[in-house]
Amino acid sequence: MCGFVCLWKVDDVGGSLIETMLARLGHRGPDATQVARPVGLPLAMGHCRLAIIGAEDGVQPIAVDSEILVANGEIYNHGDLRAILDPDIFHTTSDSETILHLFRSGAQRWVNRLDGMFAFVLATSDRIVAARDPLGIKPLYMARRGKGLAFASELKAFDGLGFDDITALPPGALFDSAGGLRHWYRVPSGAAAAEPGLDVDAVAGELRLTLEEAVAKWMVADVEVGSFLSGGLDSSVIAAIAQKVRLAAGRAPLKTFAVGTAGSPDLRAARRVADHIGSDHHEYCFSARDIAENLPHVIYHLESADADLVRSAVPTLFAARLARRHVKAVLTGEGADELFAGYAYHHDYVEDPRALADELTRSLGAMHNINLQRVDRMTMAESLEARTPFLDRDLIAFAQSVPAELKLRRTDPDAPEATGPTTEKWLLRKACADLLPADLVWRKKAQFDEGSGTVEALQQALRLIVGGEGEVPRLREEALYREILRERFADPEMILSQAGQWNANRVAA
């Protein structure tokens, strides 16, 4: 995982501009920093690297002849692509180099062959190309300065430096200075009702196989990969499968990481899961004072003042900080709620599977500046790579083909396979029921910030900051977050204008 800056036809006398921008992204890649200014090109490229694959020789920018690349993320099928493209043409063991050679192959839909999470900028003698992975797991922003273009991994790189028209490149999009913007990937529409005679057990079995393949693929690395473990279904399933992968390969047990306030439900549940799967488990208990001291850090790196996003970012930061003491990359459970109907508001759709399927499709396309922004920014703030196997492209395609009425079901609250009158993520629970104790598989869902104890601790932290007694109203909380953000940025309105909102366009049926 990395951070990068690219200036195309932007005056940078003395190189101070790109150096300033790249310094603001240093947390994304502490292992190596490199700036390239190719002779004959109106270009400056800077890269800060967190070495995960090709650690010894994968320094960027990567150049072949007159073409040069900077990339952020992981290409999980890079081994297959090397074999297809010809191993002899590669100069490094970096997975990112496959992007450059795919482009040079001349195939019309070359970017579609990349399987992973990525953002990159590639320059030739006369054009510049930038692209982002299907769901926007990895960030990429584009801006203008005069007649030139600039690209960066985070908004803070542009802050107060005279850039215009700053915007995020959409997920699954490719920008070409010679041809404009095109969308190379679109989230497949979700299925609604099950066809007559559908073998539900067979569907659950196929889902399990697809999920196991995704986890194994997203664990590929030259460094050890751990796993966040909140004790909820999503992270527990990922951790259980990842542990099987490690043990089957003859490796030491998976390292798992849980955070929360002392005695919180998530810590207890995570400990039970860790004991069940036999992971090497690590915990951190945070306090209200810890939250108060870290809120400015959270909001600066999050690049958002949305209250719900800040609340969920707090425990994510502490989890990332804990994990980084032991590993450089972790698996997370992001995406399961959007694929399998895991949010509380989804229960309002139980009588309308078509509307539910459409909402799940919409929410998948909106993850990039909400949950995925939180995970990327909080982990990268601690120089940790986060991987989201639920958002594997093959798994997305299969999950979207599963009827929505198998994801959210009316159930008998007293039945063993139920979490209440309606059960969210029903098929996912069924597919993975043998991995975990039954009471954890069918445990009622809690938001990460609730189960971790963040909600009450955050209220105490807010009282420490603003003074006074009693509950701090949400409006005051939101105003405080905006105040903190405005103190940290020279152009806070630019940052605020780009931020997603947790409730954006979510209207129940």
Side-chain angles (χ1 to χ4, degrees):
M1 204 60 61
C2 311
F4 62 74
V5 172
C6 179
L7 302 178
W8 175 258
K9 298 183 180 179
V10 173
D11 290 335
D12 186 17
V13 179
S16 61
L17 179 60
I18 194 167
E19 297 285 357
T20 297
M21 296 175 72
L22 195 59
R24 296 177 179 181
L25 304 181
H27 52 278
R28 297 187 69 91
D31 293 335
T33 299
Q34 189 96 0
V35 175
R37 299 178 180 85
V39 176
L41 293 184
L43 174 73
M45 274 186 171
H47 189 269
C48 49
R49 185 174 188 237
L50 181 66
I52 302 292
I53 293 178
E56 298 301 320
D57 61 359
V59 173
Q60 298 189 39
I62 300 173
V64 176
D65 296 333
S66 62
E67 286 136 5
I68 186 168
L69 167 87
V70 282
N72 169 28
E74 305 292 348
I75 308 300
Y76 296 118
N77 63 336
H78 72 99
D80 292 340
L81 291 173
R82 281 174 180 270
I84 293 168
L85 291 166
D86 180 5
D88 292 338
I89 66 175
F90 285 79
H91 301 287
T92 75
T93 57
S94 169
D95 58 308
S96 296
E97 191 180 349
T98 58
I99 301 170
L100 194 53
H101 291 294
L102 264 181
F103 171 78
R104 288 167 60 85
S105 72
Q108 281 193 322
R109 302 193 69 236
W110 60 275
V111 70
N112 193 60
R113 299 175 67 182
L114 296 170
D115 185 4
M117 54 178 189
F118 54 84
F120 65 82
V121 176
L122 188 159
T124 73
S125 59
D126 59 358
R127 62 199 268 228
I128 194 158
V129 177
R132 198 172 177 193
D133 65 65
L135 292 193
I137 299 171
K138 303 321 300 171
L140 180 55
Y141 294 93
M142 183 169 69
R144 298 188 181 276
R145 185 166 177 174
K147 295 181 180 180
L149 294 172
F151 302 85
S153 298
E154 295 183 15
L155 287 167
K156 58 179 61 68
F158 301 110
D159 182 40
L161 296 177
F163 289 96
D164 300 312
D165 301 326
I166 301 168
T167 186
L169 193 73
L174 181 146
F175 171 81
D176 188 333
S177 60
L181 185 73
R182 68 178 178 90
H183 290 268
W184 63 271
Y185 176 89
R186 294 185 186 278
V187 177
S189 296
E195 63 268 24
L198 180 68
D199 187 338
V200 175
D201 289 335
V203 176
E206 194 65 23
L207 170 58
R208 172 68 169 271
L209 291 174
T210 308
L211 180 56
E212 288 180 348
E213 285 185 352
V215 172
K217 181 198 302 183
W218 288 59
M219 291 183 73
V220 172
D222 293 338
V223 298
E224 185 175 0
V225 178
S227 188
F228 284 169
L229 182 59
S230 71
L233 179 71
D234 309 336
S235 65
S236 297
V237 164
I238 295 295
I241 295 174
Q243 171 74 329
K244 290 175 62 177
V245 171
R246 285 192 63 84
L247 296 183
R251 296 174 179 169
L254 177 77
K255 288 184 172 66
T256 52
F257 308 97
V259 299
T261 55
S264 62
D266 273 5
L267 282 181
R268 292 196 301 270
R271 203 172 299 141
R272 282 196 61 208
V273 173
D275 289 343
H276 183 78
I277 67 175
S279 66
D280 178 5
H281 192 55
H282 303 265
E283 294 181 354
Y284 174 73
C285 293
F286 57 82
S287 66
R289 187 161 296 280
D290 292 329
I291 296 175
E293 292 174 353
N294 282 277
L295 261 181
H297 182 76
V298 166
I299 291 170
Y300 173 72
H301 282 283
L302 183 62
E303 299 184 331
S304 173
D306 178 74
D308 291 305
L309 209 55
V310 172
R311 289 176 179 182
S312 59
V314 167
T316 306
L317 175 75
F318 291 129
R321 192 169 288 170
L322 170 65
R324 190 59 179 90
R325 299 174 193 162
H326 305 274
V327 296
K328 294 178 77 171
V330 291
L331 304 175
T332 82
E334 261 65 39
D337 290 323
E338 287 79 5
L339 285 174
F340 298 103
Y343 290 118
Y345 82 99
H346 287 148
H347 289 265
D348 295 326
Y349 291 89
V350 70
E351 302 295 346
D352 193 345
R354 178 70 266 159
L356 175 60
D358 292 344
E359 169 57 16
L360 296 179
T361 301
R362 184 208 64 79
S363 63
L364 280 166
M367 290 188 72
H368 63 283
N369 66 348
I370 307 175
N371 270 342
L372 292 178
Q373 179 169 325
R374 166 182 56 83
V375 173
D376 174 81
R377 300 302 196 280
M378 292 301 97
T379 54
M380 285 277 81
E382 300 300 315
S383 304
L384 178 76
E385 174 175 290
R387 299 181 170 194
T388 55
F390 274 114
L391 297 179
D392 179 79
R393 206 190 327 179
D394 290 338
L395 181 54
I396 291 172
F398 183 80
Q400 286 292 87
S401 76
V402 171
E405 65 180 26
L406 297 184
K407 301 175 180 181
L408 178 71
R409 303 197 86 179
R410 282 217 176 275
T411 48
D412 177 355
D414 297 322
E417 295 185 350
T419 61
T422 55
T423 296
E424 72 284 354
K425 293 189 285 199
W426 182 84
L427 187 72
L428 178 62
R429 296 175 194 273
K430 185 175 179 64
C432 300
D434 63 309
L435 291 173
L436 303 163
D439 62 317
L440 291 177
V441 172
W442 301 100
R443 177 191 179 203
K444 195 89 174 154
K445 176 184 173 62
Q447 298 294 127
F448 185 29
D449 54 349
E450 296 170 354
S452 63
T454 304
V455 172
E456 178 53 38
L458 181 58
Q459 270 295 316
Q460 297 176 32
L462 294 173
R463 287 194 288 271
L464 287 173
I465 295 170
V466 304
E469 302 290 333
E471 183 176 346
V472 177
R474 184 181 175 94
L475 287 177
R476 179 67 186 100
E477 178 186 355
E478 293 172 337
L480 175 63
Y481 297 159
R482 289 193 295 271
E483 290 168 13
I484 293 173
L485 187 146
R486 287 191 170 97
E487 290 173 357
R488 297 301 303 270
F489 292 97
D491 185 4
E493 298 309 317
M494 179 272 290
I495 304 291
L496 290 168
S497 70
Q498 298 291 324
Q501 293 185 341
W502 198 276
N503 295 324
N505 299 319
R506 288 186 174 177
V507 181

